Amino acid sequence: MTGVRVAGVGLTPFGEHAGRTGRDLFAEAALAALDDAGVPGEDVEHLNYGNFMGALAERQGHQAPLMAEAAGLRCAGTRYEEACASAGVAVREAVRAVRSGENDVMLAGGMERMTNLSTAEVTESLAVAADELFEVRAGVTFPGAYALMARAYFDEYGGDREDLAHVAAKNHANAVNNEYAQYQREITVEQALDSPAVASPLHLFDACPITDGASALVLVSEEYAAEHDIEAPVAITGTGQGGDRAALQDRADMARTPAATDAAAEAYGDAGVASDEVDLAEVHDCFTIAEVMALEALDLFDSGEGIGAARRGDTTRDGDLPVNLSGGLKAKGHPVGATGGSQIAEMTRLLRGDHPNSDAVPDATVGLTHNAGGTVASAVVHVLEVAE
């Protein structure tokens, strides 16, 4: 199998894009990625595109050919839907296609428009990623579901709202200098604690925002990169995917996310690295408790130790394992169909040294990304390394 290099990355600013269409947003990210890579659009052999709620937000299905056209491509495209892990799966399948030799050049990423809907409409649209028969009909929303997971975690391992507030404050601080972040401003632990309650124990600043945005990556084989003199120092060396029961009540333990554990084990094995070799991580912090649970599922912290990681300074930009230097979903934003691609784009920039926060990890060579769908019924993990 051939190695896979990230030749180029492209992002739109995350936030509210009133008056813009989804295809316009994706075209911006895709063209930026092609320009970053120095790869002509006619060399792209397939588009892997992630989107979750386009049929609800824009009344538009069958989006992949529209996005290929908007990006100026003349290739086929496939849309991937795995809730908030849609782009992560799209990237994973692109990695597998390049490795197999089926394609040498692929464009992968995703897009979501959300702010054109009301908060109630977004909440209802996102809820279709839960079990409609046994959760949605009972009134479960994702803030409520993650609140249940937080309560289960506190009951099993301890911790409190202040631990979660440190996660929020950390990620906002990381987003300040990120030009793509939705919220480029700091918040204090006290502000997070004093924000309005959403679903106890989660408050407003425990949650990610409603976001429009797009992400794109140009993935190439090592042979193509060498033949075309493309400077692509970052490789995707590991990929893994895991699954779990969709409904929380069907799970053995709501304080754990085995889908992420399985995805991480596969990705680590695929890359030939151990968890203690990871220098930095971008994890799916749709709610602050999600970051905590991810750290443990990824074997970066022991069970019960993730809750205090931000508070202790372990995961801050100056800590031993910086987490979410992009600002995470919490502050950078969460256009759900684009997030998995965005995480890899940010990790690539961090490892290349051209991210505003690269100075926090000047010697980093191994990065990990973790993208989750629903209440982590789906998870995709990638290992990125600076190629020797």
Side-chain angles (χ1 to χ4, degrees):
M1 294 191 299
T2 184
V4 181
R5 297 294 180 95
V6 184
V9 302
L11 296 165
T12 65
F14 282 12
E16 182 176 353
H17 289 280
R20 296 187 66 183
T21 63
R23 67 191 77 182
D24 180 36
L25 291 171
F26 186 73
E28 179 182 336
L31 293 172
L34 291 167
D35 182 65
D36 186 43
V39 170
E42 55 264 29
D43 281 8
V44 176
E45 297 164 284
H46 199 90
L47 167 65
N48 279 18
Y49 168 74
N51 179 265
F52 170 55
M53 52 184 278
L56 301 172
E58 293 194 289
R59 298 184 59 81
Q60 180 65 65
H62 199 197
Q63 289 195 12
L66 292 173
M67 299 304 163
E69 180 183 359
L73 306 180
R74 294 293 181 266
C75 63
T78 304
R79 175 196 171 196
Y80 290 82
E81 187 279 297
E82 198 76 1
C84 304
S86 296
V89 173
V91 173
R92 170 174 162 78
E93 293 306 315
V95 169
R96 288 152 63 96
V98 174
R99 278 182 173 177
S100 71
E102 179 180 350
N103 295 313
D104 278 315
V105 183
M106 295 191 67
L107 187 70
M111 182 283 303
E112 209 74 70
R113 272 190 76 209
M114 304 174 71
T115 68
N116 57 309
L117 302 179
S118 69
T119 299
E121 289 171 329
V122 171
T123 301
E124 184 177 357
S125 297
L126 292 174
V128 304
D131 187 323
E132 196 279 333
L133 187 59
F134 294 111
E135 292 183 306
V136 179
R137 293 187 187 186
V140 172
T141 63
F142 280 110
Y146 273 92
L148 291 172
M149 296 167 78
R151 288 186 177 198
Y153 185 98
F154 288 169
D155 287 345
E156 189 164 344
Y157 299 114
D160 56 33
R161 285 194 55 234
E162 187 168 349
D163 291 311
L164 299 181
H166 278 272
V167 175
K170 168 183 69 71
N171 291 347
H172 272 266
N174 288 340
V176 168
N177 294 320
N178 186 352
E179 68 271 30
Y180 297 109
Q182 184 165 354
Y183 294 133
Q184 298 173 38
R185 61 178 182 268
E186 295 189 43
I187 64 169
T188 65
V189 170
E190 290 71 25
Q191 286 175 310
L193 290 170
D194 292 341
S195 64
V198 175
S200 181
L202 302 180
H203 283 227
L204 181 64
F205 285 173
D206 288 303
C208 67
I210 295 169
T211 312
D212 304 328
S215 63
L217 313 168
V218 178
L219 304 182
V220 302
S221 66
E222 290 183 340
E223 291 79 5
Y224 179 94
E227 182 181 343
H228 293 82
D229 294 322
I230 293 173
E231 185 177 353
V234 176
I236 298 180
T237 58
T239 180
Q241 185 173 354
D244 198 0
R245 301 290 184 91
L248 284 178
Q249 73 267 16
D250 291 332
R251 299 183 192 175
D253 187 349
M254 288 196 294
R256 299 174 185 268
T257 54
T261 300
D262 293 345
E266 183 180 2
Y268 290 141
D270 192 30
V273 303
S275 59
D276 60 6
E277 295 178 76
V278 173
D279 296 311
L280 71 163
E282 290 285 318
V283 306
H284 196 96
D285 60 324
C286 51
F287 296 90
T288 49
I289 188 62
E291 175 169 316
V292 172
M293 296 174 73
L295 295 177
E296 297 177 9
L298 300 170
D299 195 34
L300 300 174
F301 288 85
D302 292 336
S303 296
E305 293 298 314
I307 186 65
R311 194 172 189 171
R312 294 190 302 268
D314 297 342
T315 54
T316 62
R317 61 173 286 126
D318 298 321
D320 291 336
L321 180 68
V323 173
N324 287 335
L325 284 172
S326 69
L329 286 61
K330 174 68 198 75
K332 185 189 173 184
H334 182 29
V336 294
T339 288
S342 169
Q343 292 175 317
I344 295 174
E346 295 283 27
M347 183 60 70
T348 299
R349 295 202 302 151
L350 285 160
L351 291 174
R352 289 192 316 200
D354 56 296
H355 192 283
N357 289 329
S358 288
D359 60 343
V361 285
D363 301 317
T365 60
V366 181
L368 190 75
T369 66
H370 157 269
N371 187 204
T375 48
V376 203
S378 303
V380 184
V381 173
H382 287 98
V383 176
L384 283 74
E385 296 185 71
V386 177
E388 296 180 359

